[in-house]
Amino acid sequence: MSIENLVIIGSGPAGYTAGIYAARANLSPLCIEGYQSGGLLMLTSDVENFPGFPHGMMGPELMANFRKQAERFGTRFVSKNATRVDFSSFPLKVYIENEEVQTKSVIIATGASTKWLGLESESRLLGKGVSSCATCDGAFFKGAKLIIVGGGDSAMEEATFLTRFASQVTVVHRKDQLRASKIMQDRAFKNPKINFVWDSEVLEILGNDAVTGARVKNIKTGKTEEIPCEGFFVAIGHEPNTGFLKDQIDLDPKGYIVMPKRPTTLTSRPGVFAAGDVQDTIYRQAITAAASGCQAAIDVERYLETLH
């Protein structure tokens, strides 16, 4: 069995950029892009904040361009999922279903999945007023009334950010107090554009071709009401796609990959690197994921030189 120089697990901006850089370094990388290739941008209609595209671009089209560029330089692709890994000995082993691939190095770029409410109306109106990224989509809602669901730091940060554009932001939270840190709470409470609906859950997002409001139920009283809005943001967290890595590398309590040697992209295992949202709890942008994919590929190139 031949041993690969590099296996990239995952696609999206991080995985594809790692492929571009590694292929240009003549490493002939193998990218296991998964059945759902392209990452979270595949769910994004207009991407207006990626540099170089002044008129914006559709998320899937942008990812198709990333992939073509990686392929042009010699990245090979497998459109299946990596199901498990064995990093206990050299060469490292990655399993694509039951097939074993041996490799000298690995870049993990499996990303993080948005936690959704699980409503039919939520998936139907995704990209038509429903979003999980205020930084990405806030500018589309100038002067609009918005709803955001969540009670943690990221929800308060996104609510505060959205007030730059929106006329009003309504925070809907299941409890009667926030989980967010004191400083984030204070900032939100002091903002005249933010109001709160406590002890409540969203039953349905209203609208056919665009969001028009939300039906909300008070958990304590059972009373329902309809709140009009033009945009609906979900901010109940992300879940890193690291289930297949358990006991193989160090993960933090939330499942994100621990990066002990920043600013490098090295994980707790020699030869194993990580890029993109799978190790990023702060920024979660396409541009930062792409940048870390570039860093990981350069780190791999330098690591492989030490093996000779």
Side-chain angles (χ1 to χ4, degrees):
M1 178 187 286
S2 64
I3 299 175
E4 299 285 348
N5 284 316
L6 168 62
V7 169
I8 300 164
I9 306 175
S11 43
Y16 288 152
T17 303
I20 292 167
Y21 275 78
R24 280 177 57 84
N26 285 333
L27 298 182
S28 186
L30 177 68
C31 177
I32 305 169
E33 58 182 347
Y35 290 113
Q36 292 180 298
S37 61
L40 287 176
L41 280 193
M42 300 301 279
L43 305 174
T44 309
S45 48
D46 289 318
V47 180
E48 292 202 326
N49 56 6
F50 201 89
F53 298 95
H55 303 294
M57 199 175 208
M58 300 294 277
E61 190 184 355
L62 183 61
M63 285 300 89
N65 284 350
F66 270 55
R67 190 185 190 279
K68 277 181 203 151
Q69 198 168 350
E71 195 169 33
R72 179 186 151 207
F73 294 117
T75 301
R76 293 162 296 135
F77 294 95
V78 177
S79 300
K80 292 181 179 177
N81 290 341
T83 46
R84 66 188 177 95
V85 296
D86 180 358
F87 296 155
S88 61
S89 59
F90 187 89
L92 306 165
K93 297 175 188 68
V94 177
Y95 294 87
I96 307 169
E97 288 162 9
N98 293 320
E99 182 196 345
E100 180 184 290
V101 177
Q102 296 188 354
T103 180
K104 297 173 190 171
S105 64
V106 172
I107 293 174
I108 300 161
T110 46
S113 300
T114 302
K115 290 182 183 173
W116 295 101
L117 300 174
L119 303 171
E120 180 278 327
S121 51
E122 178 183 54
S123 50
R124 181 169 52 81
L125 291 164
L126 188 62
K128 299 173 182 176
V130 171
S131 171
S132 65
C133 181
T135 317
C136 315
D137 298 330
F140 296 126
F141 295 98
K142 289 193 172 86
K145 289 183 177 176
L146 304 178
I147 288 175
I148 186 163
V149 180
D153 273 359
S154 59
M156 291 312 101
E157 194 174 330
E158 300 220 326
T160 304
F161 177 82
L162 288 170
T163 60
R164 296 183 192 184
F165 311 100
S167 59
Q168 183 184 45
V169 177
T170 299
V171 176
V172 178
H173 187 44
R174 289 179 63 88
K175 297 179 179 164
D176 58 6
Q177 57 187 31
L178 301 171
R179 290 191 320 277
S181 58
K182 182 84 169 61
I183 189 166
M184 295 303 294
Q185 291 194 40
D186 289 347
R187 200 172 292 166
F189 290 144
K190 281 179 188 160
N191 193 313
K193 285 189 177 181
I194 298 176
N195 64 315
F196 293 83
V197 175
W198 302 106
D199 299 315
S200 296
E201 64 180 6
V202 176
L203 298 179
E204 186 187 4
I205 302 163
L206 307 172
N208 292 322
D209 299 319
V211 170
T212 59
R215 186 174 293 113
V216 175
K217 177 185 177 183
N218 185 297
I219 298 164
K220 288 185 176 169
T221 66
K223 185 172 166 248
T224 63
E225 64 172 319
E226 289 187 6
I227 303 172
C229 69
E230 291 126 285
F232 187 96
F233 287 79
V234 180
I236 57 174
H238 290 77
E239 198 156 354
N241 302 317
T242 54
F244 71 106
L245 296 171
K246 217 169 180 178
D247 304 324
Q248 295 294 325
I249 57 173
D250 291 350
L251 306 173
D252 75 8
K254 289 187 174 172
Y256 286 90
I257 295 175
V258 173
M259 309 292 279
K261 300 205 172 166
R262 290 190 191 276
T264 76
T265 59
L266 193 61
T267 69
S268 58
R269 290 273 185 180
V272 180
F273 303 81
D277 288 10
V278 77
Q279 52 83 47
D280 176 10
T281 60
I282 301 170
Y283 302 105
R284 297 195 195 98
Q285 298 299 303
I287 190 73
T288 51
S292 67
C294 157
Q295 291 171 304
I298 292 170
D299 286 342
V300 163
E301 192 185 349
R302 289 172 179 164
Y303 168 75
L304 292 176
E305 282 170 9
T306 68
L307 299 182
H308 297 311

